[in-house]
């Protein structure tokens, strides 16, 4: 739908960024920050790397293959169709029934993989559920031609007006950072009685959640419930796994299985050792496992076995889960090793109860963008999860004052992500001194750290400017270096770059964007000489 076709619709630019998972720019800057997506585009249709655009913090797969991620593989039972890695929530002035969401992409397009809208009129739901979100579009990341474009996919229709849109991104196919220069919401204004049937556009029926996700939430699936009457599983076992392969175990299995099963034995499954059944079920994702538990007492027993819940990843269901969901998992998570609640919206007391009862064996806990995390929750985590090696508290901005100091009890930490938190340098020093195994620390955009000097004495020598001497030191002492980013460095020469490339045979990534001593011709020659290294240099169209 182009602007001419939109002429009878209400069109509006994004007026504010409500929430986001990351940005390339700093908190005190307007360069490369997500707020640049608001208002009318300033660089479109130009293509290139512009500071006036919205830029997220990662791209490609470089951060996934970095050495600090080697000991932290992907979570088990994560659905294959969940590929989102970043998000931005966009606010608009007026509520409309959405027809189009137009995203103005000005550099490395193709990263938008999901668009959702929020029904804020139903915020007061049972079980303390947050506002309901509905998916308008989902797709895969693509490597698109190097040109600016307006991305406006076909949307699923909904029967409520909204002014809150969420974009989710996967930049794995991008050669360099994705940049966005604006977002426009096109739709029809609600009539006086706020019913879509009275508007000029026929919205049809509402978008129904899957039948076993009543009210758009997973609470019914994960709650303890009796399975259907024991029956002859032989009649449906083949169908169960065919359904899983085709539909991820469709909801019809959950509601219609009782009509098929009518006798009391388990058929061939009675001949299988329990260990084999457990191995089979390990290949199901979380949604399929919860659904299958309602098929029979046999499956109920195995689907609720604590060995099936060494990993629990609720991030893919962030818009569906409630406090009741988390509490209902407690009985299944007595041997939980890894827990991912990133983007989820629980109450703080729910998580406190969960980690108190299930945190003893936790080695990985990820809570990125969990606004309910506060000082009290951090204290409970630190007291009950002493075996943690991996902790992600990025963008948890309700942890204040000395709330981080209790993390010193987590002496086994190897990976600590405090990106965009309010940690102060003295609390951080206490934590780092008590975590001798720490290998990765992210303190990007931590606005309360103005002076790094106290931390530098604990971590490493602090350099405010990278110059030729610094690269020489890296070349002489970091022979196993794999990834190096010196973006914006003014004092590095072609010879310095050659030295580091020669001295570090394991180097696979080298970002020299905006390094004035390395022009495009020099970079081209370096790429030809060192073809195994991804040498990155951004540009701006003239």
């Amino acid at each position: 739908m182009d602007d001419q076709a939109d002429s009878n619709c209400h069109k509006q630019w994004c007026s504010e960024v409500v929430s986001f998972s990351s940005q390339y720019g700093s908190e005190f800057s307007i360069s490369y920050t997500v707020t640049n997506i608001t208002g009318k585009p300033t660089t479109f249709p130009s293509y290139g790397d512009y500071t006036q655009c919205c830029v997220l913090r990662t791209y490609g797969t470089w951060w996934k293959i970095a050495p600090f991620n080697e000991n932290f593989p992907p979570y088990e039972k994560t659905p294959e169709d969940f590929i989102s890695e970043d998000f931005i929530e966009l606010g608009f002035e007026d509520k409309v029934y959405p027809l189009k969401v137009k995203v103005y992409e000005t550099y490395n397009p193709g990263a938008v993989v999901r668009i959702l809208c929020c029904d804020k009129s139903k915020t007061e739901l049972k079980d303390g559920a947050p506002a309901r979100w509905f998916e308008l579009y989902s797709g895969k990341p693509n490597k698109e031609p190097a040109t600016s474009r307006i991305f406006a996919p076909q949307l699923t229709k909904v029967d409520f007006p909204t002014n809150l849109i969420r974009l989710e991104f996967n930049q794995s196919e991008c050669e360099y950072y994705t940049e966005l220069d604006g977002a426009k919401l096109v739709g029809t204004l609600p009539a006086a009685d706020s019913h879509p049937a009275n508007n000029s556009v026929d919205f049809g029926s509402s978008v129904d959640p899957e039948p076993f996700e009543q009210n758009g939430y997973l609470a019914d699936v994960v709650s303890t419930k009796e399975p259907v009457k024991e029956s002859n599983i032989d009649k449906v076992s083949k169908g169960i796994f065919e359904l899983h392969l085709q539909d991820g175990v469709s909801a019809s299995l959950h509601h219609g299985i009782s009509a098929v099963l009518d006798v009391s034995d388990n058929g061939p499954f009675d001949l299988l050792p329990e260990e084999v059944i457990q191995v089979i079920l390990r290949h199901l994702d979380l949604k399929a496992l919860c659904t299958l538990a309602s098929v029979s007492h046999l499956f109920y027993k195995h689907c609720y076995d604590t060995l099936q819940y060494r990993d629990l990843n609720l991030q893919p269901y962030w818009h569906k889960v409630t406090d009741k969901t988390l509490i209902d998992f407690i009985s299944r998570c007595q041997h939980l090793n890894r827990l991912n609640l990133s983007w989820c919206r629980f109450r703080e007391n729910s998580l406190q109860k969960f980690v108190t009862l299930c945190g003893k064996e936790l080695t990985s806990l990820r809570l990125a963008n969990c606004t309910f995390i506060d000082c009290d929750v951090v204290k409970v985590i630190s007291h009950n999860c002493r075996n943690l090696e991996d902790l992600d508290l990025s963008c948890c901005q309700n942890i204040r004052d000395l709330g981080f100091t209790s993390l010193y009890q987590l002496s086994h930490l190897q990976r600590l992500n405090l990106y965009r938190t309010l940690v102060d340098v003295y609390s951080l020093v206490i934590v780092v001194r008590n975590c001798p195994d720490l290998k990765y620390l992210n303190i990007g955009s931590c606005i309360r750290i103005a002076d790094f000097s106290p931390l530098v004495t604990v971590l490493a020598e602090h350099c405010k400017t990278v110059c030729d001497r610094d690269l020489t030191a890296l070349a002489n002492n970091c022979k196993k270096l794999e990834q190096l980013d010196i973006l914006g460095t003014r004092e590095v020469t072609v010879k310095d770059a050659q030295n580091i490339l020669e001295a570090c045979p394991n180097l696979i990534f080298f970002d020299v964007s905006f390094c004035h001593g390395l022009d495009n011709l020099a970079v081209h020659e370096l790429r030809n000489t060192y073809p195994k290294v991804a040498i990155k240099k951004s540009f701006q169209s003239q």
Side-chain angles (χ1 to χ4, degrees):
M1 182 182 294
D2 55 26
D3 284 337
Q4 184 176 2
D6 294 343
S7 58
N8 295 325
C9 299
H10 185 68
K11 298 168 286 187
Q12 52 186 323
W13 298 105
C14 169
S15 58
E16 66 172 325
V17 173
V18 177
S19 182
F20 63 95
S21 57
S22 76
Q23 62 182 5
Y24 187 87
S26 69
E27 298 294 299
F28 297 114
S29 173
I30 60 173
S31 298
Y32 297 129
T33 57
V34 295
T35 56
N36 289 332
I37 200 174
T38 60
K40 294 182 179 180
T42 57
T43 64
F44 186 87
S46 297
Y47 180 82
D49 188 356
Y50 293 93
T51 60
Q52 306 99 304
C53 290
C54 163
V55 185
L56 301 174
R57 199 168 60 89
T58 63
Y59 69 91
T61 59
W62 302 107
W63 64 282
K64 293 181 181 179
I65 64 175
F68 59 75
N69 274 322
E70 289 179 353
N71 296 328
F72 304 101
Y75 278 75
E76 295 178 0
K77 302 190 186 308
T78 299
E80 293 182 358
D81 60 352
F82 180 75
I83 55 176
S84 301
E85 297 174 347
D86 267 303
F87 74 85
I88 305 175
E89 291 180 6
L90 308 175
F92 296 82
E93 290 292 338
D94 303 317
K95 285 188 177 183
V96 297
Y97 296 100
L99 295 176
K100 284 290 181 183
V101 174
K102 297 187 173 186
V103 183
Y104 289 70
E105 300 175 298
T106 53
Y107 201 38
N108 296 294
V112 178
V113 294
R114 204 173 181 211
I115 301 176
L116 303 98
C117 67
C118 182
D119 183 4
K120 293 194 294 184
S121 65
K122 298 181 179 179
T123 55
E124 298 298 329
L125 300 178
K126 64 178 182 179
D127 300 324
R132 297 169 60 184
W133 289 83
F134 290 84
E135 185 179 279
L136 298 175
Y137 161 81
S138 65
K140 295 182 179 180
N142 297 303
K143 187 175 182 179
E144 299 292 339
T147 182
S148 60
R149 70 170 188 174
I150 302 174
F151 180 64
Q154 185 68 38
L155 304 182
T156 300
K157 296 177 181 178
V158 294
D159 65 352
F160 59 86
T162 185
N163 62 347
L164 183 56
I165 298 293
R166 177 174 168 125
L167 306 179
E168 293 186 358
F169 303 85
N170 181 307
Q171 301 186 80
S172 59
E173 296 294 325
C174 295
E175 291 291 332
Y176 205 62
Y177 295 96
T178 286
E179 298 194 8
L180 311 174
D181 193 28
K184 179 187 288 185
L185 176 59
V186 180
T188 57
L189 291 167
D193 60 0
S194 299
H195 193 284
N198 296 316
N199 285 271
S200 58
V201 178
D202 178 16
F203 284 85
S205 61
S206 64
V207 179
D208 292 326
E210 295 183 43
F212 62 88
E213 294 170 3
Q214 297 180 12
N215 296 323
Y217 295 92
L218 285 178
D220 271 359
V221 178
V222 301
S223 62
T224 303
K225 62 195 305 181
E226 288 298 316
V228 298
K229 184 178 179 180
E230 289 284 5
S231 307
N232 187 350
I233 306 300
D234 186 33
K235 293 183 179 180
V236 295
S237 58
K238 181 179 179 181
I240 288 172
F241 291 102
E242 286 179 348
L243 279 170
H244 171 61
L245 293 174
Q246 295 171 5
D247 305 311
V249 181
S250 71
S252 60
L253 175 64
H254 179 61
H255 286 278
I257 200 72
S258 58
V260 181
L261 306 178
D262 54 7
V263 289
S264 58
D265 66 272
N266 293 307
F269 281 96
D270 284 330
L271 303 177
L272 292 177
E274 292 191 351
E275 293 82 0
V276 174
I277 297 176
Q278 286 288 314
V279 171
I280 293 173
L281 297 188
R282 285 189 63 183
H283 292 278
L284 301 181
D285 64 29
L286 184 61
K287 186 188 297 184
L289 193 67
C290 293
T291 303
L292 195 60
S294 295
V295 170
S296 73
H297 285 288
L298 177 71
F299 283 154
Y300 179 89
K301 170 187 173 182
H302 286 289
C303 290
Y304 272 62
D305 193 298
T306 56
L307 294 180
Q308 292 291 341
Y309 298 88
R310 306 300 290 267
D311 273 24
L312 180 61
N313 184 6
L314 294 184
Q315 183 181 8
Y317 315 104
W318 66 267
H319 57 308
K320 300 177 182 289
V321 294
T322 67
D323 293 281
K324 186 177 186 298
T325 308
L326 187 62
I327 298 303
D328 284 340
F329 269 115
I330 289 177
S331 62
R332 281 170 265 184
C333 295
Q334 295 305 302
H335 297 290
L336 187 64
N337 289 150
R338 304 200 302 164
L339 175 64
N340 186 2
L341 302 180
S342 295
W343 303 359
C344 294
R345 306 179 185 198
F346 301 119
R347 292 192 183 97
E348 61 274 7
N349 57 341
S350 298
L351 182 60
Q352 289 183 38
K353 180 177 180 180
F354 187 90
V355 298
T356 299
L357 297 174
C358 305
K360 297 296 187 294
E361 298 179 25
L362 272 181
T363 59
S364 177
L365 178 58
R366 298 196 173 178
L367 302 167
N369 291 92
C370 289
T371 56
F372 62 91
I373 302 296
D374 59 16
C375 299
D376 292 335
V377 178
V378 173
K379 289 179 182 178
V380 172
I381 291 172
S382 301
H383 180 72
N384 291 279
C385 307
R386 298 294 182 87
N387 292 311
L388 276 181
E389 299 174 0
D390 172 33
L391 178 60
D392 185 351
L393 295 173
S394 57
C395 297
C396 294
Q397 298 192 332
N398 285 324
I399 311 170
R400 300 177 180 274
D401 301 322
L402 298 178
F404 290 94
T405 56
S406 59
L407 295 178
Y408 82 91
Q409 300 174 76
L410 305 178
S411 58
H412 298 291
L413 277 181
Q414 298 180 27
R415 191 179 190 277
L416 179 59
N417 190 347
L418 300 178
Y419 171 74
R420 288 193 71 235
T421 63
L422 299 177
V423 65
D424 64 275
V425 68
Y426 296 104
S427 296
L428 197 55
V429 166
I430 293 173
V431 174
V432 171
R433 281 178 174 166
N434 287 276
C435 298
D437 297 327
L438 196 64
K439 298 177 181 178
Y440 170 80
L441 176 65
N442 187 342
I443 50 175
S445 296
C446 291
I447 59 175
R448 294 192 64 190
I449 303 180
D451 179 11
F452 284 85
S453 300
L455 181 61
V456 168
T457 61
V458 180
L459 293 174
E461 181 180 359
H462 177 58
C463 298
K464 293 184 178 179
T465 303
V466 178
C467 61
D468 54 351
R469 293 189 303 276
D470 301 315
L471 287 191
T472 300
L474 287 174
N476 293 335
N477 299 286
C478 301
K479 303 295 185 181
K480 296 183 179 181
L481 188 67
E482 295 182 8
Q483 299 187 30
L484 179 61
D485 183 346
I486 59 170
L487 182 148
T489 302
R490 296 177 179 273
E491 300 180 29
V492 172
T493 65
V494 175
K495 182 178 179 181
D496 300 325
Q498 289 175 328
N499 288 341
I500 198 76
L501 288 164
E502 284 291 337
C504 302
N506 295 334
L507 198 67
I508 57 174
F509 174 89
F510 191 22
D511 193 339
V512 296
S513 298
F514 299 106
C515 292
H516 296 284
L518 299 170
D519 59 22
N520 291 333
L521 178 60
V523 170
H524 178 73
E525 293 177 351
L526 290 174
R527 286 172 175 165
N528 289 335
T529 306
Y530 305 95
K532 294 183 179 180
V533 184
I535 303 177
K536 304 290 184 178
K537 184 174 177 64
S538 63
F539 70 93
Q540 295 178 348
S541 58
Q542 302 298 321

